[in-house]
C-alpha cells in the first residue's frame, strides 16, 4: 500500500485482532430499496430543524447554530465559493430530507444571497477577519482554499463540542440512508471515516466523525490540523529552515503566510495519529528540495508502524463487513466485502524531531492567532481535558493514556467517488437507478474521473444523476431570471436557435457533427441568437469507444455503457421517463466550454453575455414555458411559423434539397446573403415569425459567408476555443482553462 503514494494500490488480506470491527454473530438486517422520497430513513431531519443564518466567531454562536440546525447530534458542514454550486447542493440535500446542513462562507453577503432561496437554511460566516486572517487573508501556498479551510475549522470545533460531524464538499449528494448504515454494527464502531484519495491519502472533501471523545485522538487530530497551519501562517521561518531553505529562497512555495493544502494537511494529521508521531510529510512534499529522499523516509516509517500483515501492510488492516443489500452495487454484488481500518492515538514527538525529518518546524511559542485558536478549542471542550502538547516530553504520558479510537476509509458502497470504485461509477451508468434498480452508494462525491469541461460537475449532476440538479431554487431567487450556464446566475434567457428533434441523428460522424455545429453557431451569430447545443443519440458512431465491438444501434443500450460509449467524450443521459429500450441521448462534452456558452452572439458583446445553452438547460426552459401555457407556449414547438426552412420558403428564399429516401437524414441547406437578409427582416403578416423566442432548424445549415468582417472575426475566435466546432476536438482545446477563453469579442 505504501509503495507508491500517487497511485491506487492493492492490499493483502490478513486477519485482524481489531474486535471493534468484528462481525456480529448475525448479519445486520438491511431493508430493500425504499422509494426515493423515503431514503433518508430515521434521519430525515428537514422538518425538525429551524435553521440558522449568522456568524460563528464565538463558541456561543456556534452552539446556537448547532442547536438550531443539528438533528440527533448530527451536523453537516459544507462550502462552495460559487453560488450556483451552493444553491444546487442545499437543494439536493434538503430535497433528500437532510436539513441538518450548514454552508460556510467568509462573509455575510453570500449567506444573504442564499437566504432568499430557502424556507429553512443553515448558513454561517466569520465576522472577525483579523482572528481568521490565517484563512481569509493568507497569501501563500493554498490560495483558493478559503472555503475549504472554513469547513475543517468549524467541523473541528463542533467535534470538540461533542457533535457527530460530516464534512462534505458541495459536489456531493445523498442517495441512500447514510446514517442507517453508519449507525449499525460493525460500522458504528468506527469513530472517524475518511474518503480515500487515489493513493493512501485522505480526501479533504468527505469525512465523518461519530461518537468521538472531546479529548481523544480524533478531536485532537482535527485540532492539530488547524493549529499547525495557524502557527505556520504566523511564522513559516522554522518550516523553511527545517527543509533547508535559506531566508532568501522563494522557489518552493513556502512563503510567509503559508497555509498547507487542506487535503495534504488532513492526511498528515490522520496518518500522524495512525503511526503515533506528528507528521508534516504531505504539507512539505511538493515544497521539499529533496523530494524523493523525503518521500522514501516517511513511507518507510509508515510501513513499519502498527500491526504487520504478510506484505508489510503497516498500520492498516482489512476487515470483512456486511454490505447492505440496497447498495451492493458498490461491492460488486457481494454480501460481504473488505474495509480498510486502523487505530488512532494522540501522536507525540517526545521532544524528538530528527533533522532528517525536518527538525522542529514551529516557532517556540504560540503567536496571537494560534493562542486564540487554542483558547477557543479549550473553551469549546466545556471542561474536557486539554489536549497534550505533542512536542513537550512531559505530556507524553497523557497522550499515551488517551483511549485509542477507531478509523477507516469509507467503503465505496457507503461513500464513493462518482467515477471511480468497483463497478459503481457514474460513467458506467449506475447512477441512473431508475434504469438499474440498484444504488451505487449512500453518498456520492463527484470529484474525480469526470469528462473534461469547464462546468463538468454541474453538468454531470444535471445529466447523469437523478435529482442531482434542480433549477427551481435559483429561480426563486431571481424571479423571471435564468440560472443557466450560458446566462450566468442572474441573466435572462435570450432568443434561441435550436435544431429540431431528429436533425442530430444516430448516423453522425465527427466531421458531420462539427459541420452541423458550425452552421448552427454561424447562423446564431447572424441572427443574434444564443444557440442550443443539441442532444445526440448515443448510438452515433463518433461517440463509440475505440475498439468497442458492441453496437447499440443493433443490439440496444446496456449498462455498463462505458464498455461501448466513449464516456470521456460524452455524458449519456437516461431521463426519468426513459428506459434503455428507448435509447440514450448524449451530451457531447466538447460543448461544455465557457467559450461555447458565454461571450455574446454579436461583435462587441460582453464576455458574460449568453452564447449558448446545453441541451438539459434547453429541456428545462421548454418545460417551464409549456407549463406556463397560453399562446406563448404554443410557439415553443417547431411549426411553419418558427422553422427557418419554412420561413425562407414562405418568403421566397432558398429551399433545401429533398432527402435521398425516407430513412436518410435531411441534407443541409446552404444559406445565401439574400436568405440571411430575409431571416433578419421584421416578419410581416403570416410570413413567419423570426422574432419567436426559439427558431428551429429542420435540417443542418451551411453559411459560406458571414455578413461582415466583424462577424467573421468573432466566429474565428470562438471556433478556436469552442471545442464542439472541431471534429474531433484537439486536446489543446479541451484542456484550455476558462481564463484563456475570455478573449475580447
Amino acid at each position: 500500500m505504501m509503495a507508491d503514494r500517487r497511485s491506487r494500490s492493492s492490499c493483502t488480506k490478513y486477519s485482524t485482532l481489531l474486535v471493534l470491527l468484528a462481525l456480529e454473530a448475525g448479519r445486520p438486517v438491511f431493508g430493500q430499496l425504499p422509494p426515493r422520497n423515503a431514503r433518508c430513513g430515521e434521519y430525515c431531519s428537514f422538518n425538525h430543524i429551524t435553521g440558522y443564518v449568522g456568524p460563528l466567531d464565538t463558541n456561543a454562536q456556534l452552539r446556537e447554530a448547532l442547536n438550531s440546525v443539528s438533528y440527533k447530534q448530527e451536523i453537516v458542514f459544507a462550502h462552495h465559493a460559487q453560488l450556483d454550486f451552493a444553491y444546487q447542493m442545499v437543494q439536493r440535500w434538503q430535497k433528500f430530507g437532510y436539513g441538518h446542513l450548514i454552508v460556510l462562507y467568509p462573509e455575510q453577503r453570500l449567506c444573504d444571497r442564499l437566504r432568499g432561496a430557502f424556507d429553512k437554511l443553515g448558513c454561517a460566516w466569520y465576522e472577525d477577519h483579523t482572528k481568521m486572517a490565517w484563512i481569509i487573508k493568507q497569501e501563500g501556498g493554498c490560495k483558493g482554499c478559503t472555503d475549504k479551510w472554513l469547513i475543517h475549522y468549524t467541523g473541528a470545533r463542533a467535534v470538540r463540542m461533542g457533535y457527530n460531524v460530516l464534512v462534505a464538499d458541495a459536489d456531493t449528494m445523498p442517495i441512500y440512508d447514510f446514517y442507517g448504515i453508519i449507525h449499525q454494527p460493525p460500522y458504528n464502531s468506527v469513530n472517524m471515516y475518511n474518503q480515500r484519495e487515489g493513493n493512501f491519502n485522505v480526501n479533504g472533501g468527505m469525512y465523518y466523525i461519530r461518537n468521538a471523545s472531546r479529548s481523544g485522538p480524533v478531536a485532537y487530530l482535527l485540532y492539530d490540523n488547524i493549529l499547525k497551519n495557524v502557527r505556520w501562517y504566523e511564522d513559516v521561518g522554522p518550516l523553511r529552515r527545517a527543509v533547508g531553505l535559506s531566508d532568501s529562497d522563494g522557489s518552493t512555495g513556502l512563503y510567509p503566510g503559508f497555509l498547507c493544502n487542506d487535503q495534504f494537511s488532513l492526511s498528515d494529521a490522520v496518518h500522524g495519529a495512525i503511526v503515533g508521531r506528528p507528521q508534516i510529510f504531505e504539507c512539505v512534499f511538493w515544497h521539499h528540495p529533496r523530494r524523493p529522499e523525503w518521500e522514501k523516509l516517511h513511507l518507510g516509517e509508515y510501513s513499519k508502524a502498527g500491526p504487520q500483515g504478510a506484505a508489510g501492510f503497516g498500520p492498516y488492516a482489512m476487515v470483512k463487513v456486511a454490505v447492505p443489500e440496497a447498495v451492493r452495487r458498490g461491492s460488486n454484488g457481494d454480501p460481504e466485502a473488505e474495509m480498510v481500518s486502523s487505530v488512532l492515538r494522540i501522536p507525540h514527538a517526545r521532544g524528538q524531531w530528527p533533522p532528517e525529518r525536518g527538525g522542529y518546524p514551529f516557532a517556540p511559542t504560540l503567536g496571537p492567532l494560534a493562542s486564540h485558536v487554542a483558547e477557543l478549542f479549550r473553551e469549546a471542550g466545556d471542561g474536557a481535558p486539554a489536549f497534550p502538547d505533542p512536542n513537550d516530553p512531559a505530556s507524553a504520558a497523557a497522550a499515551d493514556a488517551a483511549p485509542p479510537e477507531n478509523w477507516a476509509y469509507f467503503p465505496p458502497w457507503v461513500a464513493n467517488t462518482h467515477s471511480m470504485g468497483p463497478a459503481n461509477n457514474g460513467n458506467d451508468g449506475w447512477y441512473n437507478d431508475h434504469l438499474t434498480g440498484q444504488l451505487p452508494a449512500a453518498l456520492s462525491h463527484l470529484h474525480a474521473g469526470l469528462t473534461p469541461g469547464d462546468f463538468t460537475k454541474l453538468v454531470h449532476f444535471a445529466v447523469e444523476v437523478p435529482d442531482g440538479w434542480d433549477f427551481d431554487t435559483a429561480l426563486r431567487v431571481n424571479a423571471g431570471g435564468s440560472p443557466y450556464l450560458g446566462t450566468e446566475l442572474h441573466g435572462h434567457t435570450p432568443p434561441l436557435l435550436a435544431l429540431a428533434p431528429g436533425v442530430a441523428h444516430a448516423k453522425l460522424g465527427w466531421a458531420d457533427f462539427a459541420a452541423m455545429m458550425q452552421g448552427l453557431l454561424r447562423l446564431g451569430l447572424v441572427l443574434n441568437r444564443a444557440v442550443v447545443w443539441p442532444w445526440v443519440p448515443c448510438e452515433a458512431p463518433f461517440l463509440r469507444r475505440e475498439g468497442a465491438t458492441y453496437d447499440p444501434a443493433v443490439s440496444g443500450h446496456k449498462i455498463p455503457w462505458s464498455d461501448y460509449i466513449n464516456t470521456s467524450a460524452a455524458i449519456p443521459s437516461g431521463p426519468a421517463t426513459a428506459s434503455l429500450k428507448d435509447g440514450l441521448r448524449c451530451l457531447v462534452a466538447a460543448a461544455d466550454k465557457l467559450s461555447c456558452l458565454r461571450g455574446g452572439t454579436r461583435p462587441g458583446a460582453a464576455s458574460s453575455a449568453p452564447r449558448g445553452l446545453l441541451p438539459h438547460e434547453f429541456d428545462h426552459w421548454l418545460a417551464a414555458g409549456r407549463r406556463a401555457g397560453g399562446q406563448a407556449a404554443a410557439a415553443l414547438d417547431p411549426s411553419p411559423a418558427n422553422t427557418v426552412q419554412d420561413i425562407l420558403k414562405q418568403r421566397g428564399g432558398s429551399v433545401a434539397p429533398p432527402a435521398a429516401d425516407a430513412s436518410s437524414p435531411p441534407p443541409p441547406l446552404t444559406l445565401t446573403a439574400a436568405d440571411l437578409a430575409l431571416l433578419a427582416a421584421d416578419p410581416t403578416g403570416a410570413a413567419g415569425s423570426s422574432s419567436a423566442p426559439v427558431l428551429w432548424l429542420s435540417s443542418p445549415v451551411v453559411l459560406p459567408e458571414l455578413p461582415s468582417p466583424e462577424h467573421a472575426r468573432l466566429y474565428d475566435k470562438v471556433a478556436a476555443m469552442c471545442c464542439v466546432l472541431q471534429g474531433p476536438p484537439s486536446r489543446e482545446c479541451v484542456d484550455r482553462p476558462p481564463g484563456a477563453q475570455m478573449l475580447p469579442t
Side-chain angles (χ1 to χ4, degrees), residues 447-701:
H447 77 96
L450 308 179
T451 60
D454 293 346
F455 307 96
T456 184
K457 290 182 179 180
L458 285 173
V459 171
H460 271 275
F461 271 124
V463 175
E464 202 166 35
V465 183
D467 294 333
W469 187 74
D470 189 331
F471 283 105
D472 294 343
T473 298
L475 287 173
R476 287 176 59 188
V477 181
N478 309 292
S482 175
Y484 304 134
L485 297 175
T487 62
E488 297 189 305
L489 194 59
H490 293 288
H492 292 266
T493 308
L496 298 172
L497 179 69
L499 300 181
V503 176
H505 54 84
K507 297 181 180 180
L508 282 171
W510 263 120
D512 291 337
F513 175 70
M516 187 180 293
M517 297 304 99
Q518 291 164 12
L520 177 66
L521 182 63
R522 287 167 74 87
L523 182 57
L525 295 179
V526 171
L527 300 180
N528 195 24
R529 287 177 174 264
V531 302
V532 176
W533 304 114
W535 293 113
V536 176
C538 295
E539 307 92 80
F542 79 101
L543 300 180
R544 194 78 46 82
R545 179 175 177 173
E546 186 176 357
T549 57
Y550 186 84
D551 186 353
V554 175
S555 305
H557 286 283
K558 66 183 182 68
I559 291 175
W561 50 49
S562 63
D563 285 352
Y564 61 93
I565 295 175
N566 180 0
T567 53
S568 66
I571 308 175
S573 175
T577 57
S579 71
L580 287 171
K581 293 181 181 179
D582 297 330
L584 288 174
R585 57 188 193 175
C586 275
L587 184 151
V588 179
D592 181 14
K593 299 297 291 182
L594 183 77
S595 50
C596 301
L597 303 177
R598 297 181 192 165
T601 57
R602 63 178 181 270
S607 62
S608 61
R611 178 169 289 152
L613 296 185
L614 292 175
H616 57 278
E617 299 177 316
F618 184 52
D619 286 352
H620 180 272
W621 182 83
L622 285 175
R626 288 165 179 157
R627 284 195 301 270
Q631 186 175 0
L636 298 180
D637 295 317
S639 72
N642 62 15
T643 303
V644 165
Q645 283 78 358
D646 285 321
I647 293 173
L648 287 176
K649 183 178 180 180
Q650 294 167 18
R651 297 181 181 179
S654 299
V655 177
D661 54 64
S663 63
S664 298
L669 168 63
T670 299
L671 298 177
T672 67
D675 293 327
L676 300 182
L678 288 173
L679 290 172
D682 291 333
T684 58
S689 180
S690 58
S691 60
V694 55
L695 278 182
W696 297 86
L697 295 172
S698 57
S699 71
V701 293

Side-chain angles (χ1 to χ4, degrees), residues 454 594 721 736-743:
D454 293 346
L594 183 77
M721 299 182 294
R736 184 177 287 122
Q741 300 175 55
M742 302 298 289
L743 296 179

Side-chain angles (χ1 to χ4, degrees), residues 4 50 80 89 110-111 164 212 257 283 299 422 437 533 566 635 645 663 693:
D4 184 354
T50 60
H80 208 287
M89 185 209 185
L110 298 171
C111 284
N164 298 338
C283 278
L299 294 186
W533 304 114
N566 180 0
Q645 283 78 358
S663 63

Side-chain angles (χ1 to χ4, degrees), residues 367-431:
L369 297 182
S371 296
H372 168 72
V373 168
E375 174 59 23
L376 199 68
F377 275 82
R378 184 202 63 77
E379 180 190 81
D382 196 22
F387 294 122
D389 182 345
N391 306 303
D392 181 0
S395 67
D400 294 343
E405 292 181 318
N406 308 314
W407 172 93
Y409 288 122
F410 271 127
W413 56 89
V414 177
N416 72 6
T417 301
H418 174 261
S419 295
M420 297 170 66
N424 65 356
N425 58 68
N427 284 345
D428 273 347
W430 296 113
Y431 277 71

Side-chain angles (χ1 to χ4, degrees), residues 25-289:
R27 263 183 50 198
V29 178
F30 298 103
Q32 299 295 318
L33 186 64
R36 190 180 301 276
N37 61 3
R39 291 181 184 174
C40 48
E42 296 181 7
Y43 283 80
C44 297
S45 59
F46 181 72
N47 292 329
H48 301 279
I49 62 110
T50 60
Y52 176 86
V53 179
L56 296 180
D57 296 78
T58 68
N59 285 325
Q61 290 167 335
L62 179 56
R63 287 191 182 96
E64 180 185 354
L66 293 170
N67 288 337
S68 302
V69 182
S70 69
Y71 182 64
K72 296 183 179 181
Q73 291 298 109
E74 299 286 348
I75 190 69
V76 181
F77 289 113
H79 77 95
H80 208 287
Q82 292 179 230
L83 280 170
D84 49 3
F85 268 94
Y87 283 124
Q88 300 297 347
M89 185 209 185
V90 175
Q91 172 76 350
R92 277 194 303 275
W93 285 71
Q94 289 192 356
K95 189 174 182 180
F96 185 81
Y98 288 161
H100 56 284
L101 167 72
I102 297 178
V103 183
L104 300 174
Y105 284 115
E107 53 191 12
Q108 178 178 346
R109 65 179 181 84
L110 298 171
C111 284
D112 288 342
R113 294 277 295 278
L114 284 182
R115 181 168 12 203
F118 300 96
D119 296 327
K120 297 180 184 179
L121 176 67
C123 192
W125 62 89
Y126 286 86
E127 292 186 326
D128 190 341
H129 286 191
T130 300
K131 290 180 179 176
M132 294 293 292
W134 61 279
I135 293 180
I136 295 171
K137 298 180 180 179
Q138 64 86 24
E139 297 178 352
C142 196
K143 294 179 180 178
C145 289
T146 298
D147 300 304
K148 294 180 182 180
W149 271 108
L150 290 177
I151 58 176
H152 302 312
Y153 179 54
T154 313
R157 293 174 61 195
V159 170
R160 179 68 168 161
M161 291 180 176
Y163 284 82
N164 298 338
V165 174
L166 175 65
V167 166
D169 280 349
D171 56 343
T172 57
M173 71 173 297
I175 303 174
Y176 183 63
D177 185 5
F178 168 75
Y179 295 102
I181 297 175
I182 218 74
H183 286 301
Q184 291 196 51
Y187 300 93
N188 63 353
S189 297
V190 176
N191 302 105
M192 182 174 188
Y193 284 96
N194 284 98
Q195 188 173 25
R196 182 176 178 175
E197 194 63 12
N199 47 46
F200 73 91
N201 276 348
V202 303
N203 181 278
M206 178 80 82
Y207 56 96
Y208 176 65
I209 294 91
R210 179 186 184 278
N211 285 358
S213 165
R214 291 188 177 200
S215 55
V218 171
Y220 171 78
L221 77 85
L222 296 173
Y223 165 71
D224 175 64
N225 185 42
I226 303 302
L227 187 65
K228 66 187 178 187
N229 281 280
V230 183
R231 298 182 73 179
W232 285 331
Y233 175 85
E234 292 191 291
D235 188 355
V236 75
L239 182 63
R240 289 171 54 83
R241 292 188 290 272
V243 298
L245 296 176
S246 67
D247 291 341
S248 60
D249 188 343
S251 63
T252 71
L254 294 178
Y255 307 121
F258 174 73
L259 179 64
C260 180
N261 174 282
D262 71 302
Q263 189 159 284
F264 294 163
S265 179
L266 184 62
S267 293
D268 278 343
V270 169
H271 294 305
I274 288 174
V275 303
R277 293 183 62 88
Q279 301 295 318
I280 59 170
F281 168 39
E282 295 289 348
C283 278
V284 172
F285 180 80
W286 295 107
H287 308 288
H288 203 287

